Amino acid sequence: MKIRKLLSAVLVAALLSGCSGKASPGQSQASSGISSSEAETVSSASTGATESETGTSTSADANASVSENPDTNAEESTETDLTGDVVPLKNLCTEYFSLGVGINGSTLENQTLNIPEYMDMCKEHFNSCTMTNLMKSGYILDQFGSQDNLKNGNEEPVLNFSSIDPTLNWCKENGMKMRGHTLVWHTQAPGWFFREGYTDDGEYVDKDTMLLRMESYIKQLVTHCQEEYPGVIYCWDVVNEAVEPSSYDPDSYFMCRTKCGEDPNPWYDTIGEDYVEMAFTYARKYVADDVKLFYNDYNTYQSPKTQGIYDLCSCLKEKGLIDGIGMQGYWSIDYPNDTTIKAAITKFAELGLEIQITELSIGVDEETDEQFEKQAQRYGDVFKLLMDMDTQSGGPANITCVTLFGLVDHYREGDTTNTRIFNKDYEPKPAYFAIKETMESR
C-alpha cells in the first residue's frame, strides 16, 4: 500500500511541478540504569541510578542542508533549518504509526492538563497520549476506604478515580486516544496495599488474598474507564518493568525482578513470579475485545534483558494474554547505538506482537545550541530507524505507536527536563524539525 501511494505521489508531483499533500491523521534509557517515565518521581533500579517517570536522558539529528553556493561543492551544514513551517507531526506519521505524547504532572494541580496551550498543542500534533504519573496505583488506591471495606466484611480495595477522570474526560471530548499506564508496577504502589488490614505496618497478606486484591483493582479500574469513557483507552501497559537481570529469582524463566535497588518487589514477595501472568489474565478477562495488552520495560536493548522479555512475552503469547511489547526510550545522544536498538526490535518482532516506543526521551547534558543540534540529529535518526524497521517499509516489526514522553521543556517551575521537542515558550526546537524533515523525506 505504501509503495502504491508513493508512486502516486511521484506522478502527482511531476504533473503539478512539485506540489504535494499529506495524508490525514490516523487513529488508532540513557545509560544502563534508566528506568521508567517522567520528571517528577525519582527512584533507583538495580542496574544503577534510575528515573522512575523522569525522562532526563539525552540526544538527536540536525538534518544537514545543502549550500546553494556552487563554490562550496554542496558542503553540508551542521545546523538544522529552523525556518520551515510547523505542521502537525501526527499527519506525517500516519502511514507508519500513531504519535503519542505524555500528559505530565504528579498532582492534580501541576499536571499539564491545566495548561490550555499545552493541551491544544497535544491535540494538534498527536493522536495518542499517556498519563505519566496519575494513573498509577499510588494515586488511585484509597487506604481508608479499603480499611472501611474490611470492617464491613469486604476484602476488596477501594479506588478513587479523581486523579484520572479530568484527563480521560478531555480525551473523550477531544477525540484523543490514550495508552493506559500502568495496571501493575512495583514502584508507586503503596505498601499498605500488600499488607494485612491495609495497614502500613502489617504483615504481607498471603498469595490468595493478594490475587483477590489484584483482580479487584484491575477490574474496577478497567471497568470504570470503559464504562465512563468508552473507546478512549486503546491499550494498557498491564505490567511494568518485571524483568531485571541484576536482581532476579534464579528459578524464574524470565528473570523475574525481586528488588528495585534495595527495595523489595512487593508483587513478587506476595505472589511470586506468577504475578505477571495473573495480571495479564485478569486484564484479558475485563478489557474490551478491541483493547490491546502490553508488557512495558526499560533497557530493552540490553542483553540478557532482551532475552528475558522475549521469554516472558513468548509464554504470554502462547496463552493468548498479550498483544504487544512497550520499549521505553530513555536514550542519549550517542547511546544506545542504532545497531543495538535494531537487534532488540528484530528479536521482539519474531513474536509477531505489536511494538511501541512508549517513553521516548532524548535529553542533553547542557542546554546549548550545539547540544540541541545533536539532540535533533538523534531524534531524526531514531525516527528513521523506526520507519525503516516498520512493516510499512518492508521491515520486520509492526510498530504501532511512538510516544514522546512530554511536549515542552520546563513546563512548570522545578521541571528540569530538556528531552522534549518544543521549548518552554512552546517554540519548536531543532528536534521538531529533524523529526518533520525525516518524516517528510519518506
Side-chain angles (χ1 to χ4, degrees):
M1 179 180 71
K2 176 174 291 299
I3 294 174
R4 289 200 299 270
K5 289 187 177 182
L6 288 174
L7 289 176
S8 298
V10 171
L11 291 173
V12 172
L15 291 171
L16 299 181
S17 301
C19 294
S20 62
K22 292 297 174 188
S24 59
Q27 280 278 15
S28 251
Q29 291 165 350
S31 66
S32 61
I34 297 297
S35 176
S36 173
S37 323
E38 200 216 338
E40 272 126 5
T41 326
V42 179
S43 69
S44 61
S46 44
T47 52
T50 73
E51 308 167 27
S52 165
E53 304 314 285
T54 44
T56 51
S57 323
T58 38
S59 24
D61 169 10
N63 286 358
S65 59
V66 178
S67 171
E68 296 180 0
N69 185 344
D71 297 329
T72 62
N73 296 318
E75 291 180 354
E76 291 186 337
S77 168
T78 58
E79 296 185 358
T80 302
D81 180 7
L82 299 182
T83 62
D85 294 333
V86 176
V87 300
L89 290 180
K90 64 184 181 183
N91 294 3
L92 305 180
C93 298
T94 187
E95 287 292 330
Y96 295 91
F97 35 71
S98 297
L99 192 64
V101 64
I103 306 299
N104 302 135
S106 59
T107 68
L108 285 171
E109 292 72 32
N110 69 28
Q111 65 178 326
T112 50
L113 184 69
N114 300 328
I115 307 174
E117 188 172 10
Y118 189 104
M119 301 309 292
D120 287 345
M121 288 188 69
C122 286
K123 185 168 61 173
E124 177 182 0
H125 289 282
F126 302 90
N127 45 25
S128 173
C129 71
T130 305
M131 298 187 73
T132 61
N133 271 300
L134 295 176
M135 193 172 266
K136 293 166 183 170
S137 63
Y139 293 91
I140 295 174
L141 284 164
D142 180 343
Q143 183 175 17
F144 297 129
S146 299
Q147 291 174 345
D148 287 341
N149 259 10
L150 276 181
K151 293 175 183 177
N152 295 319
N154 184 350
E155 289 280 345
E156 297 188 49
V158 170
L159 279 59
N160 183 326
F161 304 111
S162 61
S163 67
I164 61 175
D165 279 343
T167 305
L168 286 165
N169 189 60
W170 179 88
C171 289
K172 181 180 178 181
E173 292 180 347
N174 289 276
M176 177 71 80
K177 298 294 186 179
M178 179 186 285
R179 301 188 77 259
H181 179 73
T182 172
L183 293 175
V184 171
W185 190 29
H186 56 277
T187 301
Q188 289 181 274
W192 58 261
F193 183 50
F194 303 89
R195 299 185 179 277
E196 294 282 358
Y198 292 116
T199 58
D200 295 324
D201 55 359
E203 297 294 324
Y204 275 145
V205 298
D206 60 31
K207 180 175 182 177
D208 288 342
T209 300
M210 199 62 236
L211 286 173
L212 180 150
R213 293 181 181 184
M214 173 194 277
E215 179 174 8
S216 179
Y217 178 81
I218 291 174
K219 176 183 178 181
Q220 290 185 64
L221 179 53
V222 166
T223 301
H224 173 79
C225 294
Q226 291 177 169
E227 291 183 351
E228 299 298 323
Y229 312 97
V232 169
I233 294 183
Y234 68 97
C235 72
W236 283 97
D237 288 331
V238 178
V239 177
N240 204 38
E241 302 174 5
V243 178
E244 183 45 70
S246 67
S247 61
Y248 68 93
D249 178 350
D251 296 324
S252 169
Y253 71 93
F254 66 89
M255 300 183 180
C256 181
R257 174 190 294 277
T258 59
K259 291 185 176 181
C260 180
E262 297 302 316
D263 296 326
N265 175 0
W267 289 109
Y268 174 82
D269 284 352
T270 53
I271 297 174
E273 72 169 355
D274 293 347
Y275 86 86
V276 179
E277 181 178 331
M278 293 310 300
F280 276 90
T281 299
Y282 297 141
R284 183 66 84 198
K285 181 177 178 180
Y286 296 110
V287 298
D289 292 340
D290 60 346
V291 175
K292 304 295 182 67
L293 304 182
F294 278 74
Y295 173 75
N296 190 53
D297 215 326
Y298 67 98
N299 290 352
T300 54
Y301 55 86
Q302 291 184 345
S303 180
K305 190 163 186 174
T306 303
Q307 187 63 49
I309 293 171
Y310 178 93
D311 292 340
L312 170 62
C313 294
S314 177
C315 179
L316 293 172
K317 183 190 176 185
E318 289 177 3
K319 299 180 180 182
L321 297 176
I322 192 171
D323 300 295
I325 298 173
M327 301 175 65
Q328 297 174 24
Y330 293 100
W331 301 334
S332 71
I333 291 171
D334 52 11
Y335 184 84
N337 61 48
D338 288 356
T339 300
T340 305
I341 297 172
K342 287 179 181 178
I345 292 176
T346 301
K347 180 69 173 177
F348 296 146
E350 294 175 5
L351 294 172
L353 299 171
E354 292 184 20
I355 294 175
Q356 295 189 356
I357 308 302
T358 57
E359 304 175 25
L360 186 56
S361 302
I362 300 171
V364 295
D365 295 328
E366 297 180 8
E367 296 185 14
T368 63
D369 290 345
E370 180 182 4
Q371 284 281 296
F372 282 137
E373 288 294 335
K374 292 181 178 180
Q375 180 186 59
Q377 180 173 345
R378 183 59 168 159
Y379 266 111
D381 287 346
V382 166
F383 270 77
K384 182 181 185 303
L385 181 157
L386 296 175
M387 288 187 295
D388 289 343
M389 294 293 289
D390 188 55
T391 52
Q392 288 288 351
S393 297
N398 181 21
I399 301 173
T400 55
C401 186
V402 177
T403 296
L404 308 179
F405 228 44
L407 179 72
V408 297
D409 291 345
H410 316 311
Y411 78 93
R412 65 177 176 84
E413 184 177 357
D415 173 46
T416 60
T417 308
N418 55 36
T419 65
R420 296 147 189 168
I421 65 173
F422 293 89
N423 65 25
K424 64 182 178 62
D425 297 317
Y426 294 85
E427 300 167 338
K429 293 166 58 180
Y432 165 87
F433 289 103
I435 295 171
K436 173 179 177 283
E437 292 165 10
T438 299
M439 299 305 298
E440 287 179 334
S441 70
R442 308 301 289 183

